[in-house]
Amino acid sequence: MARVIIAGGGLAGSEAAWQLAEQGIPVTLFEMRPQRSTPAHKTDRLAELVCSNSLKSDTPGSASWLLKEELRRGGSLLMRVAREAAVPGGAALAVDRERFAGLVTEAMEAHPRIAVRREELVEIPADTLVLLATGPLTSDALAARLQALTGVEHLAFYDAISPIVEAETLNLERIFPASRYGKGGDGDYLNCPLNEAEYRAFYEALRSAEAVLRHPFEDVRYFEACLPIEELARRGVDTLRFGPMKPVGLIDPRTGRQPYAVVQLRPENLRFSSYNLVGFQNHLKFPEQKRILRLIPGLENAEFLRFGQIHRNTYINAPRLLAPDLSLRSAPNVFIAGQLSGVEGYVECIATGWLAGLAMAARVKREAFAPPPRSTAIGSLVHYITHADSSSYQPANISFDLLPPLEDQPRRMVRDRQARRRLQCQRALEDFGRWLAGIRPPTFGQDQPLAWGASQGVTAL
Ligand SMILES: Cc1cc2nc3c(=O)[nH]c(=O)nc-3n(C[C@H](O)[C@H](O)[C@H](O)COP(=O)(O)OP(=O)(O)OC[C@H]3O[C@@H](n4cnc5c(N)ncnc54)[C@H](O)[C@@H]3O)c2cc1C
């Protein structure tokens, strides 16, 4: 059977290699460490967790749990290893990072169909199936090749993302809908008006806020159009009022006047279930963001689905480039997974690696392949990266916002948010089970002990 190449033995690449190998397909896994390291990795292990040791919430009913649960049911190696390496983490699935990476490395190196090559992949082969899973710190040489393949404008090298707030938690008594100068629909933006005293209080809080410590490799030079709000505040007391908080063209219907400053909220989706704080990318610690952003009128009790962040991150403009099986539309032999494919977060990277592994296996076997339905966590993540607005594409974590709302249960009948989410999870797992049954024999994904196909002389399938 044709050998498949995977570049990057991180979270996505390791999971993909395992899925392919377990389906009988030989894999060569290129990992450039330790010959060449990244500024974030510290060891030569595969699947090294570069920062936190948390794979986020494992509380049933949460979006992050749903994603993990689908992966567990789908036979994910890294989810099994995570359970083996788990340490107490409260509601989160936390792992002993050394044991986690050690077990994955052992599994990869022992598998008879996986050849691990400690080498940088510098060319993208044109005649072989290849998965690029080289992560947010993809080597320069490979990034240049990918840029040549996809077009310069479709590869980003850092992320400056704004916070996202949950619509249900907005105080609409203080907020008014309007587009600047009345251009566009009235519902296009929500506006949080600040008077002078409120603006000054916000400005002072921002000036004294604690920023996240930067790694040396995160010393990005910001585009002037994309400056973090704390940097704008450093430039002067009015800089924000002439930048992302400018009030011109906006009249508060309650006062009939232009406010002193405004924070604009732009809908994240057509359901208007969440809003982006326009131009509010920042590098503040998450608890600081929560404290300071809640000073904005209308956001007093806001719950944030995502906080602002700025960090080095190589990723493609997935909605422009990727097909639903995670292959490049313009070069169908090239698949992309992990952070490079435009998702964000450890488990999201594992999930796209898992999916790419299955999609590539189907391609090798000349079988048709479609990702899980949109109602599932994995399906909604893939739907997001392949259908989001490509003109302002930003990577995403899994959240309920990506999942379609319940169709058969009108919102008013399931008022309680937690109850709605439980129903969304239930629907997701049922749909995922049906999808899985369609592509796998019934034994697939059953909870097996952590025994590698290689060391047992058998494959898990
Ligand atoms: C500093 C930092 C901290 C982060 N912290 C968190 C966090 O706390 N929680 C979270 O959920 N997410 C975090 N992320 C985001 C993301 O989840 C992780 O980066 C995750 O490890 C990405 O998985 P991946 O499989 O895409 O890439 P990686 O796990 O980074 O794996 C990519 C691998 O490819 C190798 N490689 C690169 N170029 C080549 C090449 N040309 N040839 C061969 N090998 C190559 C690298 O050495 C690396 O081993 C963080 C990201 C960064 C940069």
Side-chain angles (χ1 to χ4, degrees):
M1 195 164 290
R3 183 165 279 276
V4 162
I5 288 177
I6 295 181
L11 299 177
S14 301
E15 182 66 54
W18 182 262
Q19 296 304 328
L20 280 154
E22 288 289 284
Q23 291 206 38
I25 296 158
V27 177
T28 302
L29 177 63
F30 283 80
E31 170 50 58
M32 66 178 185
R33 289 175 294 121
Q35 280 193 8
R36 197 187 176 106
S37 195
T38 80
H41 289 85
K42 303 266 182 303
T43 75
D44 64 356
R45 303 251 170 88
L46 303 178
E48 179 183 332
L49 299 176
V50 286
C51 186
S52 155
N53 68 334
S54 168
L55 304 190
K56 301 219 181 106
S57 173
D58 214 8
T59 305
S62 66
S64 185
W65 167 81
L66 181 61
L67 185 60
K68 287 193 271 291
E69 187 57 23
E70 289 177 8
L71 283 168
R72 286 189 276 248
R73 294 182 185 201
S76 154
L77 169 76
L78 270 70
M79 283 298 112
R80 258 195 291 159
V81 169
R83 188 163 42 197
E84 281 288 301
V87 295
L93 173 58
V95 298
D96 173 331
R97 71 178 73 239
E98 290 198 2
R99 186 159 157 69
F100 177 79
L103 284 170
V104 175
T105 308
E106 205 179 282
M108 294 290 127
E109 288 178 343
H111 201 293
R113 281 181 292 280
I114 300 177
V116 180
R117 273 175 66 173
R118 299 291 186 158
E119 221 177 284
E120 178 184 0
L121 190 80
V122 287
E123 297 287 345
I124 302 173
D127 50 0
T128 315
L129 282 194
V130 56
L131 173 66
L132 305 182
T134 41
L137 304 167
T138 292
S139 72
D140 292 346
L142 191 65
R145 292 288 169 204
L146 186 55
Q147 217 169 18
L149 193 64
T150 60
V152 175
E153 69 282 18
H154 297 318
L155 193 66
F157 288 99
Y158 73 90
D159 249 356
I161 59 181
S162 302
I164 294 179
V165 64
E166 201 169 1
E168 281 186 0
T169 64
L170 296 172
N171 175 5
L172 296 177
E173 312 250 298
R174 314 263 331 245
I175 294 173
F176 66 94
S179 293
R180 212 178 286 281
Y181 298 115
K183 287 183 186 159
D186 251 1
D188 286 359
Y189 288 88
L190 294 180
N191 302 279
C192 306
L194 290 88
N195 61 31
E196 186 170 356
E198 287 162 342
Y199 177 79
R200 296 229 170 234
F202 177 76
Y203 168 78
E204 290 304 334
L206 194 55
R207 287 284 286 132
S208 57
E210 217 182 327
V212 175
L213 277 183
R214 270 192 230 153
H215 298 277
F217 63 90
E218 287 180 320
D219 196 14
V220 291
R221 282 196 296 123
Y222 303 117
F223 290 131
E224 278 297 306
C226 219
L227 288 169
I229 50 170
E230 66 275 19
E231 171 63 24
L232 289 171
R234 254 192 297 278
R235 295 185 176 190
V237 64
D238 282 326
T239 312
L240 282 164
R241 272 199 339 117
F242 288 95
M245 295 177 78
K246 66 174 178 279
V248 291
L250 292 166
I251 302 296
D252 185 343
R254 287 184 204 92
T255 61
R257 289 201 309 271
Q258 179 177 298
Y260 189 74
V262 163
V263 176
Q264 284 209 296
L265 310 178
R266 184 172 46 221
E268 273 288 298
N269 55 45
L270 289 175
R271 302 192 305 281
F272 303 99
S273 60
S274 59
Y275 286 83
N276 190 301
L277 275 70
V278 180
F280 262 55
Q281 55 273 8
N282 70 82
H283 211 260
L284 304 179
K285 287 189 170 171
F286 290 175
E288 285 288 80
Q289 289 193 45
K290 189 170 175 179
R291 180 177 69 79
I292 292 166
L293 296 176
R294 282 183 166 186
L295 296 174
I296 298 168
L299 304 193
E300 301 85 1
N301 299 309
E303 290 297 336
F304 293 93
L305 292 169
R306 180 182 84 183
F307 284 108
Q309 290 167 49
I310 296 174
H311 59 86
R312 181 61 211 279
N313 192 9
T314 315
Y315 64 94
I316 56 163
N317 187 331
R320 271 277 160 83
L321 303 174
L322 278 190
D325 67 352
L326 304 184
S327 65
L328 283 178
R329 289 201 192 100
S330 61
N333 69 308
V334 181
F335 289 70
I336 306 211
Q339 198 92 354
L340 192 59
S341 68
V343 295
E344 176 79 35
Y346 293 154
V347 183
E348 289 80 350
C349 289
I350 295 170
T352 49
W354 176 85
L355 192 70
L358 296 190
M360 292 174 90
R363 185 79 73 82
V364 172
K365 295 176 180 175
R366 298 179 191 279
E367 291 168 0
F369 183 83
R374 167 101 207 270
S375 54
T376 65
I378 297 174
S380 65
L381 200 58
V382 173
H383 186 269
Y384 173 78
I385 63 175
T386 52
H387 291 83
D389 178 1
S390 62
S391 62
S392 56
Y393 184 66
Q394 287 190 335
N397 289 108
I398 187 66
S399 75
F400 279 105
D401 207 29
L402 301 188
L403 286 153
L406 299 164
E407 297 135 13
D408 44 354
Q409 298 279 349
R411 203 178 168 91
R412 65 179 180 285
M413 285 176 63
V414 194
R415 276 189 197 284
D416 174 54
R417 195 161 52 139
Q418 296 308 329
R420 278 207 308 271
R421 289 180 168 178
R422 275 197 299 277
L423 287 173
Q424 277 178 295
C425 288
Q426 192 184 325
R427 176 186 65 180
L429 291 175
E430 283 168 8
D431 289 354
F432 186 73
R434 271 191 289 277
W435 176 85
L436 207 53
I439 63 159
R440 286 281 171 279
T443 51
F444 185 76
Q446 278 179 4
D447 236 354
Q448 298 145 356
L450 198 60
W452 317 124
S455 48
Q456 303 295 301
V458 292
T459 64
L461 288 180

